Amino acid sequence: MGQGRSLYAVGILCRRYSKIYASAEKAVEDIPAGSTVLFGGFGLCGIPERLIDAIADNKGIDKLTAVSNNAGIDGVGLGKLLNTRQIKRMVSSYVGENREFARQYLGGELELELVPQGTLAEKVRAGGAGIPAFFTATGFGTAIQHGGTPIKYGVDGVAVIEAAPREVREFSGRNYLMEQSITGDFAVIKAWKADELGNLVFRESANNFNGPMATAATTTIAEVEEIVPVGALRPSEIHVPGIHVHRIVENRECNKRIEKLTVRADDESEAGLAPAMLKRIRIIKRAAREFKDGMYANLGIGMPMLASNYIEPGITVHLQSENGILGLGPFPAKDHVDADLINAGKETVTVLPGGSFFSSDTSFAMIRGSRLDLTILGAMEVSQTGDLANWIIPKKMVKGMGGAMDLVSAANTRVVVTMDHCSKDGSPKILKQCALPLTGLACVNRIITDKCVFDVVPGRGLLLRELATGVSVADVKSATGCDFEVDPDASETY
């Protein structure tokens, strides 16, 4: 025989050094206090809930730095570890609707390092690839570049730890920020299937952050729904090779929760809707006219996503979702809801024939690489030069930037904002300068409101292109916080 190991010897080796653990408790028991732990999942989709429960039950595993896109919801997922005060610092892109997360941060009980979602995914991917740092256009001109965003508040509401500024470098005429990569002591992730060697397969949109997190830790612990024998998985279907996975725990009775159960309406009539909703539908219908046949587009949470309901017949638009889907379809019927299939708003969705699933780092590579033709998203404020603010009201409301900073930083992607023209108190939301922290600098191409459509013309400012039915130029001027030009052909179009 030659010098190489026989298949029989490899099989013996696999059995002797098994990666399979009998319980989640055993798999996590040696995580030391103060560890940096990378957690997979997006919202509640693809979270390693049994492993999180085991950590919550072991009070010696505390003072953690938890790296995760978000922290679940109150009392569920990482929300459970927030409740038990086992997390010292969160490194995340999104706080979302987790009230306890926001309360602990604003109250000075929890450190929070907010990172744009695509940057977070790339920091982890690069860390797993042995790359210590990289440059990205995401966040240039914002608090990410300048630093100063509170990481921890004192009891008096004053920041005692602040984010550091980033190094800026110019490449080919564009400005980029240097971001340092992330690695963890442990990664705690969820997969659909594993074989005994630790090769992993994810199901639908439950890939998300699980894939990159698996590669970037000294020890990766995978919770899986089924462990299969070596050879049962085709090499072509494996998403994460077993070289990255050190421990496997089977959980055949996982409780897959749905954060936002959303189903197709039986009656989509507008009759009887409240005036506020009719106003939103006016904006949504106008936004739907931005779609062109064959486009690749990303739609933000809320009004932008609803624009997909009004795509004109005969037009094909390929919708992308940041959490790892291309080819989004309509909301599902009640009997076709799937907890592993959600969009970036954590809503249940479907996928059209020809659609695909992929990890969060791959998703944002598409976004930063300007593969999308169009992104539509909401705003709190927009300036006359196209600056956008939509992620935080300091000391009051912290949602996080999610993927918005990455979406608006793509060099060749058209950015359209849909928004109410004025706040609830009647104050303008389109201003000479944004008062809130920026999401992007000079990034907006078009603004669609309940009153009009503005284009942002570089070097000139706002140009009024269209009016909503029953709205005059004088009405727009009285509701807008900056000067603008009027297109001679501007008229009521929607």
Side-chain angles (χ1 to χ4, degrees):
M1 292 179 66
Q3 297 300 309
R5 280 198 189 100
S6 70
L7 290 176
Y8 175 77
V10 171
I12 293 294
L13 193 67
C14 294
R15 288 193 289 274
R16 185 176 298 170
Y17 300 102
S18 175
K19 297 181 178 183
I20 301 171
Y21 278 61
S23 69
E25 289 75 16
K26 279 291 184 184
V28 304
E29 67 179 359
D30 62 341
I31 299 177
S35 294
T36 295
V37 183
L38 317 179
F39 289 92
F42 186 93
L44 301 182
C45 180
I47 60 171
E49 192 159 10
R50 184 66 195 91
L51 290 170
I52 292 171
D53 286 346
I55 293 172
D57 290 339
N58 187 333
K59 297 305 185 286
I61 307 174
D62 63 355
K63 300 181 179 65
L64 298 177
T65 294
V67 181
S68 175
N69 180 62
N70 56 297
I73 58 176
D74 294 336
V76 181
L78 288 188
K80 189 169 293 186
L81 300 186
L82 291 176
N83 285 349
T84 57
R85 302 299 195 275
Q86 288 170 267
I87 297 176
K88 177 184 178 182
R89 174 179 287 203
M90 287 292 309
V91 181
S92 302
S93 82
Y94 196 65
V95 175
E97 291 71 42
N98 191 322
R99 292 167 294 182
E100 180 63 14
F101 190 174
R103 189 199 67 76
Q104 288 189 24
Y105 169 60
L106 294 173
E109 302 172 28
L110 174 72
E111 298 175 11
L112 170 59
E113 185 178 344
L114 281 167
V115 182
Q117 191 177 136
T119 298
L120 180 61
E122 187 63 16
K123 283 164 83 79
V124 174
R125 188 210 65 82
I131 298 170
F134 58 92
F135 285 91
T136 176
T138 300
F140 177 77
T142 75
I144 300 298
Q145 175 195 340
H146 302 305
T149 299
I151 289 177
K152 181 176 175 61
Y153 285 105
V155 294
D156 55 359
V158 176
V160 294
I161 304 176
E162 294 182 337
R166 304 296 199 267
E167 176 186 334
V168 178
R169 191 85 59 88
E170 183 180 310
F171 297 93
S172 303
R174 285 197 82 197
N175 290 303
Y176 294 80
L177 309 184
M178 191 182 81
E179 293 284 356
Q180 294 185 28
S181 303
I182 291 176
T183 55
D185 302 305
F186 289 81
V188 177
I189 67 163
K190 169 73 185 296
W192 180 36
K193 293 181 181 180
D195 66 18
E196 295 162 337
L197 291 177
N199 295 307
L200 302 181
V201 176
F202 302 110
R203 184 173 182 274
E204 298 178 337
S205 66
N207 188 335
N208 53 64
F209 273 87
N210 282 298
M213 296 297 192
T215 70
T218 303
T219 301
T220 293
I221 310 171
E223 174 183 328
V224 303
E225 297 176 39
E226 183 182 3
I227 298 174
V228 300
V230 173
L233 300 177
R234 297 189 307 275
S236 59
E237 68 179 318
I238 292 169
H239 294 115
V240 173
I243 193 171
H244 296 294
V245 180
H246 307 91
R247 303 175 187 177
I248 313 164
V249 175
E250 188 175 63
N251 180 14
R252 287 180 174 268
E253 298 179 356
C254 51
N255 179 19
K256 294 185 180 181
R257 303 169 191 252
I258 296 173
E259 190 168 343
K260 296 181 182 178
L261 178 61
T262 312
V263 296
R264 201 175 307 160
D266 294 328
D267 179 13
E268 298 184 351
S269 169
E270 297 173 13
L273 293 177
M277 189 60 200
L278 291 173
K279 181 175 73 170
R280 288 167 60 88
I281 289 175
R282 172 189 283 187
I283 299 171
I284 292 162
K285 286 183 174 180
R286 174 57 190 82
R289 286 161 48 188
E290 298 295 308
F291 297 128
K292 309 300 179 189
D293 193 30
M295 252 186 184
Y296 289 88
N298 181 289
L299 307 181
I301 299 169
M303 280 196 288
M305 181 57 68
L306 294 175
S308 62
N309 295 334
Y310 297 95
I311 296 173
E312 293 182 11
I315 288 181
T316 299
V317 179
H318 308 282
L319 298 180
Q320 193 258 17
S321 188
E322 300 101 294
N323 59 314
I325 305 174
L326 185 62
L328 278 176
F331 295 129
K334 292 179 182 179
D335 56 348
H336 285 80
V337 168
D338 187 339
D340 286 332
L341 186 46
I342 65 165
N343 63 19
K346 288 90 173 181
E347 300 166 315
T348 46
V349 291
T350 60
V351 171
L352 297 175
S356 57
F357 302 105
F358 34 85
S359 60
S360 292
D361 55 315
T362 297
S363 180
F364 281 94
M366 295 177 188
I367 290 167
R368 286 192 308 274
S370 294
R371 300 302 181 187
L372 299 178
D373 301 295
L374 173 71
T375 185
I376 305 179
L377 69 171
M380 297 176 186
E381 295 175 347
V382 180
S383 80
Q384 64 181 356
T385 57
D387 299 341
L388 171 67
N390 74 349
W391 68 279
I392 190 171
I393 301 175
K395 297 184 181 180
K396 292 183 179 180
M397 188 277 288
V398 52
K399 290 290 187 183
M401 66 286 289
M405 284 190 179
D406 305 277
L407 286 161
V408 302
S409 71
N412 300 313
T413 299
R414 180 172 171 79
V415 176
V416 174
V417 164
T418 56
M419 62 190 296
D420 291 330
H421 206 98
C422 298
S423 300
K424 291 180 180 179
D425 63 3
S427 59
K429 297 172 67 173
I430 301 172
L431 307 165
K432 186 174 183 180
Q433 290 183 319
C434 292
L436 296 173
L438 296 184
T439 304
L441 186 67
C443 59
V444 177
N445 300 107
R446 173 164 284 183
I447 309 166
I448 302 173
T449 79
D450 52 300
K451 296 185 182 296
C452 70
V453 176
F454 282 124
D455 279 347
V456 181
V457 182
R460 287 169 53 187
L462 298 180
L463 176 63
L464 179 64
R465 288 285 195 189
E466 303 174 32
L467 293 165
T469 301
V471 177
S472 67
V473 173
D475 293 332
V476 175
K477 285 184 177 179
S478 67
T480 306
C482 60
D483 295 331
F484 56 86
E485 299 178 36
V486 180
D487 189 316
D489 297 325
S491 61
E492 297 180 7
T493 63
Y494 65 105

PDB file of all heavy atoms in Angstrom, residues 200-222:
ATOM      1  N   LEU A 200     -21.982  21.235   6.780  1.00  0.00           N
ATOM      2  CA  LEU A 200     -23.281  21.824   7.090  1.00  0.00           C
ATOM      3  C   LEU A 200     -24.074  22.190   5.837  1.00  0.00           C
ATOM      4  O   LEU A 200     -23.507  22.635   4.841  1.00  0.00           O
ATOM      5  CB  LEU A 200     -23.111  23.094   7.924  1.00  0.00           C
ATOM      6  CG  LEU A 200     -22.367  22.973   9.253  1.00  0.00           C
ATOM      7  CD1 LEU A 200     -22.317  24.333   9.941  1.00  0.00           C
ATOM      8  CD2 LEU A 200     -23.010  21.932  10.154  1.00  0.00           C
ATOM      9  N   VAL A 201     -25.396  22.020   5.955  1.00  0.00           N
ATOM     10  CA  VAL A 201     -26.334  22.472   4.931  1.00  0.00           C
ATOM     11  C   VAL A 201     -27.374  23.351   5.617  1.00  0.00           C
ATOM     12  O   VAL A 201     -27.931  22.981   6.659  1.00  0.00           O
ATOM     13  CB  VAL A 201     -27.035  21.285   4.239  1.00  0.00           C
ATOM     14  CG1 VAL A 201     -28.078  21.782   3.239  1.00  0.00           C
ATOM     15  CG2 VAL A 201     -26.011  20.388   3.544  1.00  0.00           C
ATOM     16  N   PHE A 202     -27.626  24.523   5.028  1.00  0.00           N
ATOM     17  CA  PHE A 202     -28.648  25.431   5.551  1.00  0.00           C
ATOM     18  C   PHE A 202     -29.916  25.303   4.712  1.00  0.00           C
ATOM     19  O   PHE A 202     -29.872  24.882   3.550  1.00  0.00           O
ATOM     20  CB  PHE A 202     -28.165  26.873   5.525  1.00  0.00           C
ATOM     21  CG  PHE A 202     -26.901  27.089   6.311  1.00  0.00           C
ATOM     22  CD1 PHE A 202     -25.705  27.376   5.676  1.00  0.00           C
ATOM     23  CD2 PHE A 202     -26.911  26.992   7.693  1.00  0.00           C
ATOM     24  CE1 PHE A 202     -24.541  27.562   6.398  1.00  0.00           C
ATOM     25  CE2 PHE A 202     -25.754  27.180   8.430  1.00  0.00           C
ATOM     26  CZ  PHE A 202     -24.560  27.464   7.779  1.00  0.00           C
ATOM     27  N   ARG A 203     -31.025  25.724   5.288  1.00  0.00           N
ATOM     28  CA  ARG A 203     -32.304  25.648   4.584  1.00  0.00           C
ATOM     29  C   ARG A 203     -32.824  27.048   4.311  1.00  0.00           C
ATOM     30  O   ARG A 203     -32.998  27.861   5.220  1.00  0.00           O
ATOM     31  CB  ARG A 203     -33.334  24.864   5.411  1.00  0.00           C
ATOM     32  CG  ARG A 203     -34.656  24.662   4.699  1.00  0.00           C
ATOM     33  CD  ARG A 203     -35.583  23.738   5.476  1.00  0.00           C
ATOM     34  NE  ARG A 203     -36.824  23.540   4.741  1.00  0.00           N
ATOM     35  CZ  ARG A 203     -37.869  24.344   4.823  1.00  0.00           C
ATOM     36  NH1 ARG A 203     -37.843  25.399   5.647  1.00  0.00           N
ATOM     37  NH2 ARG A 203     -38.960  24.127   4.104  1.00  0.00           N
ATOM     38  N   GLU A 204     -33.027  27.349   3.009  1.00  0.00           N
ATOM     39  CA  GLU A 204     -33.640  28.597   2.565  1.00  0.00           C
ATOM     40  C   GLU A 204     -32.940  29.813   3.189  1.00  0.00           C
ATOM     41  O   GLU A 204     -31.715  29.888   3.213  1.00  0.00           O
ATOM     42  CB  GLU A 204     -35.148  28.540   2.830  1.00  0.00           C
ATOM     43  CG  GLU A 204     -35.816  27.414   2.049  1.00  0.00           C
ATOM     44  CD  GLU A 204     -37.295  27.260   2.298  1.00  0.00           C
ATOM     45  OE1 GLU A 204     -37.787  27.698   3.352  1.00  0.00           O
ATOM     46  OE2 GLU A 204     -37.974  26.692   1.424  1.00  0.00           O
ATOM     47  N   SER A 205     -33.692  30.781   3.694  1.00  0.00           N
ATOM     48  CA  SER A 205     -33.061  32.011   4.174  1.00  0.00           C
ATOM     49  C   SER A 205     -32.449  31.868   5.558  1.00  0.00           C
ATOM     50  O   SER A 205     -31.950  32.845   6.133  1.00  0.00           O
ATOM     51  CB  SER A 205     -34.063  33.166   4.171  1.00  0.00           C
ATOM     52  OG  SER A 205     -35.105  32.951   5.104  1.00  0.00           O
ATOM     53  N   ALA A 206     -32.438  30.657   6.136  1.00  0.00           N
ATOM     54  CA  ALA A 206     -31.781  30.429   7.425  1.00  0.00           C
ATOM     55  C   ALA A 206     -30.260  30.357   7.288  1.00  0.00           C
ATOM     56  O   ALA A 206     -29.564  30.195   8.292  1.00  0.00           O
ATOM     57  CB  ALA A 206     -32.314  29.155   8.069  1.00  0.00           C
ATOM     58  N   ASN A 207     -29.746  30.504   6.078  1.00  0.00           N
ATOM     59  CA  ASN A 207     -28.295  30.604   5.892  1.00  0.00           C
ATOM     60  C   ASN A 207     -27.793  31.906   6.531  1.00  0.00           C
ATOM     61  O   ASN A 207     -26.968  31.890   7.432  1.00  0.00           O
ATOM     62  CB  ASN A 207     -27.961  30.554   4.393  1.00  0.00           C
ATOM     63  CG  ASN A 207     -26.473  30.459   4.119  1.00  0.00           C
ATOM     64  OD1 ASN A 207     -25.645  30.857   4.919  1.00  0.00           O
ATOM     65  ND2 ASN A 207     -26.121  29.941   2.949  1.00  0.00           N
ATOM     66  N   ASN A 208     -28.281  33.026   6.057  1.00  0.00           N
ATOM     67  CA  ASN A 208     -27.997  34.387   6.539  1.00  0.00           C
ATOM     68  C   ASN A 208     -26.600  34.540   7.152  1.00  0.00           C
ATOM     69  O   ASN A 208     -25.598  34.347   6.482  1.00  0.00           O
ATOM     70  CB  ASN A 208     -29.119  34.879   7.463  1.00  0.00           C
ATOM     71  CG  ASN A 208     -29.470  33.975   8.614  1.00  0.00           C
ATOM     72  OD1 ASN A 208     -28.666  33.720   9.502  1.00  0.00           O
ATOM     73  ND2 ASN A 208     -30.722  33.504   8.607  1.00  0.00           N
ATOM     74  N   PHE A 209     -26.512  34.889   8.455  1.00  0.00           N
ATOM     75  CA  PHE A 209     -25.211  35.099   9.090  1.00  0.00           C
ATOM     76  C   PHE A 209     -24.580  33.797   9.589  1.00  0.00           C
ATOM     77  O   PHE A 209     -23.427  33.807  10.045  1.00  0.00           O
ATOM     78  CB  PHE A 209     -25.349  36.077  10.262  1.00  0.00           C
ATOM     79  CG  PHE A 209     -25.225  37.520   9.864  1.00  0.00           C
ATOM     80  CD1 PHE A 209     -26.332  38.231   9.446  1.00  0.00           C
ATOM     81  CD2 PHE A 209     -24.001  38.174   9.890  1.00  0.00           C
ATOM     82  CE1 PHE A 209     -26.238  39.563   9.066  1.00  0.00           C
ATOM     83  CE2 PHE A 209     -23.880  39.498   9.517  1.00  0.00           C
ATOM     84  CZ  PHE A 209     -24.987  40.202   9.108  1.00  0.00           C
ATOM     85  N   ASN A 210     -25.309  32.690   9.532  1.00  0.00           N
ATOM     86  CA  ASN A 210     -24.754  31.441  10.037  1.00  0.00           C
ATOM     87  C   ASN A 210     -23.504  31.019   9.273  1.00  0.00           C
ATOM     88  O   ASN A 210     -22.523  30.563   9.875  1.00  0.00           O
ATOM     89  CB  ASN A 210     -25.805  30.335   9.981  1.00  0.00           C
ATOM     90  CG  ASN A 210     -26.805  30.435  11.113  1.00  0.00           C
ATOM     91  OD1 ASN A 210     -26.447  30.334  12.274  1.00  0.00           O
ATOM     92  ND2 ASN A 210     -28.078  30.648  10.768  1.00  0.00           N
ATOM     93  N   GLY A 211     -23.541  31.174   7.948  1.00  0.00           N
ATOM     94  CA  GLY A 211     -22.398  30.763   7.133  1.00  0.00           C
ATOM     95  C   GLY A 211     -21.111  31.484   7.501  1.00  0.00           C
ATOM     96  O   GLY A 211     -20.105  30.847   7.866  1.00  0.00           O
ATOM     97  N   PRO A 212     -21.074  32.824   7.414  1.00  0.00           N
ATOM     98  CA  PRO A 212     -19.824  33.511   7.752  1.00  0.00           C
ATOM     99  C   PRO A 212     -19.408  33.359   9.212  1.00  0.00           C
ATOM    100  O   PRO A 212     -18.217  33.229   9.512  1.00  0.00           O
ATOM    101  CB  PRO A 212     -20.125  34.981   7.409  1.00  0.00           C
ATOM    102  CG  PRO A 212     -21.605  35.088   7.285  1.00  0.00           C
ATOM    103  CD  PRO A 212     -22.081  33.741   6.873  1.00  0.00           C
ATOM    104  N   MET A 213     -20.372  33.332  10.144  1.00  0.00           N
ATOM    105  CA  MET A 213     -20.014  33.164  11.559  1.00  0.00           C
ATOM    106  C   MET A 213     -19.295  31.835  11.785  1.00  0.00           C
ATOM    107  O   MET A 213     -18.371  31.743  12.601  1.00  0.00           O
ATOM    108  CB  MET A 213     -21.269  33.221  12.432  1.00  0.00           C
ATOM    109  CG  MET A 213     -22.019  34.540  12.429  1.00  0.00           C
ATOM    110  SD  MET A 213     -21.056  35.913  13.078  1.00  0.00           S
ATOM    111  CE  MET A 213     -22.343  37.168  13.257  1.00  0.00           C
ATOM    112  N   ALA A 214     -19.709  30.791  11.066  1.00  0.00           N
ATOM    113  CA  ALA A 214     -19.123  29.464  11.243  1.00  0.00           C
ATOM    114  C   ALA A 214     -17.631  29.441  10.946  1.00  0.00           C
ATOM    115  O   ALA A 214     -16.891  28.609  11.492  1.00  0.00           O
ATOM    116  CB  ALA A 214     -19.850  28.449  10.361  1.00  0.00           C
ATOM    117  N   THR A 215     -17.176  30.340  10.095  1.00  0.00           N
ATOM    118  CA  THR A 215     -15.780  30.287   9.639  1.00  0.00           C
ATOM    119  C   THR A 215     -14.833  31.152  10.455  1.00  0.00           C
ATOM    120  O   THR A 215     -13.622  31.077  10.258  1.00  0.00           O
ATOM    121  CB  THR A 215     -15.692  30.763   8.172  1.00  0.00           C
ATOM    122  OG1 THR A 215     -15.954  32.180   8.107  1.00  0.00           O
ATOM    123  CG2 THR A 215     -16.685  30.028   7.286  1.00  0.00           C
ATOM    124  N   ALA A 216     -15.354  31.965  11.377  1.00  0.00           N
ATOM    125  CA  ALA A 216     -14.534  33.035  11.960  1.00  0.00           C
ATOM    126  C   ALA A 216     -14.257  32.867  13.444  1.00  0.00           C
ATOM    127  O   ALA A 216     -13.871  33.828  14.111  1.00  0.00           O
ATOM    128  CB  ALA A 216     -15.217  34.383  11.713  1.00  0.00           C
ATOM    129  N   ALA A 217     -14.428  31.671  13.989  1.00  0.00           N
ATOM    130  CA  ALA A 217     -14.209  31.463  15.418  1.00  0.00           C
ATOM    131  C   ALA A 217     -13.184  30.365  15.658  1.00  0.00           C
ATOM    132  O   ALA A 217     -12.993  29.467  14.823  1.00  0.00           O
ATOM    133  CB  ALA A 217     -15.527  31.103  16.113  1.00  0.00           C
ATOM    134  N   THR A 218     -12.554  30.421  16.811  1.00  0.00           N
ATOM    135  CA  THR A 218     -11.634  29.364  17.197  1.00  0.00           C
ATOM    136  C   THR A 218     -12.377  28.041  17.364  1.00  0.00           C
ATOM    137  O   THR A 218     -11.887  26.984  16.956  1.00  0.00           O
ATOM    138  CB  THR A 218     -10.932  29.741  18.518  1.00  0.00           C
ATOM    139  OG1 THR A 218     -10.255  30.994  18.352  1.00  0.00           O
ATOM    140  CG2 THR A 218      -9.932  28.683  18.925  1.00  0.00           C
ATOM    141  N   THR A 219     -13.568  28.108  17.960  1.00  0.00           N
ATOM    142  CA  THR A 219     -14.402  26.915  18.139  1.00  0.00           C
ATOM    143  C   THR A 219     -15.807  27.218  17.651  1.00  0.00           C
ATOM    144  O   THR A 219     -16.450  28.146  18.148  1.00  0.00           O
ATOM    145  CB  THR A 219     -14.462  26.491  19.625  1.00  0.00           C
ATOM    146  OG1 THR A 219     -13.140  26.223  20.096  1.00  0.00           O
ATOM    147  CG2 THR A 219     -15.338  25.262  19.804  1.00  0.00           C
ATOM    148  N   THR A 220     -16.285  26.452  16.680  1.00  0.00           N
ATOM    149  CA  THR A 220     -17.639  26.626  16.150  1.00  0.00           C
ATOM    150  C   THR A 220     -18.531  25.489  16.618  1.00  0.00           C
ATOM    151  O   THR A 220     -18.203  24.311  16.439  1.00  0.00           O
ATOM    152  CB  THR A 220     -17.612  26.688  14.611  1.00  0.00           C
ATOM    153  OG1 THR A 220     -16.943  27.888  14.201  1.00  0.00           O
ATOM    154  CG2 THR A 220     -19.026  26.688  14.042  1.00  0.00           C
ATOM    155  N   ILE A 221     -19.661  25.869  17.228  1.00  0.00           N
ATOM    156  CA  ILE A 221     -20.641  24.909  17.734  1.00  0.00           C
ATOM    157  C   ILE A 221     -21.898  25.041  16.883  1.00  0.00           C
ATOM    158  O   ILE A 221     -22.497  26.116  16.813  1.00  0.00           O
ATOM    159  CB  ILE A 221     -20.983  25.179  19.208  1.00  0.00           C
ATOM    160  CG1 ILE A 221     -19.704  25.314  20.054  1.00  0.00           C
ATOM    161  CG2 ILE A 221     -21.876  24.078  19.762  1.00  0.00           C
ATOM    162  CD1 ILE A 221     -19.945  25.781  21.472  1.00  0.00           C
ATOM    163  N   ALA A 222     -22.309  23.977  16.244  1.00  0.00           N
ATOM    164  CA  ALA A 222     -23.463  24.005  15.348  1.00  0.00           C
ATOM    165  C   ALA A 222     -24.614  23.202  15.925  1.00  0.00           C
ATOM    166  O   ALA A 222     -24.457  22.022  16.252  1.00  0.00           O
ATOM    167  CB  ALA A 222     -23.091  23.461  13.973  1.00  0.00           C
TER     168      ALA A 222
END
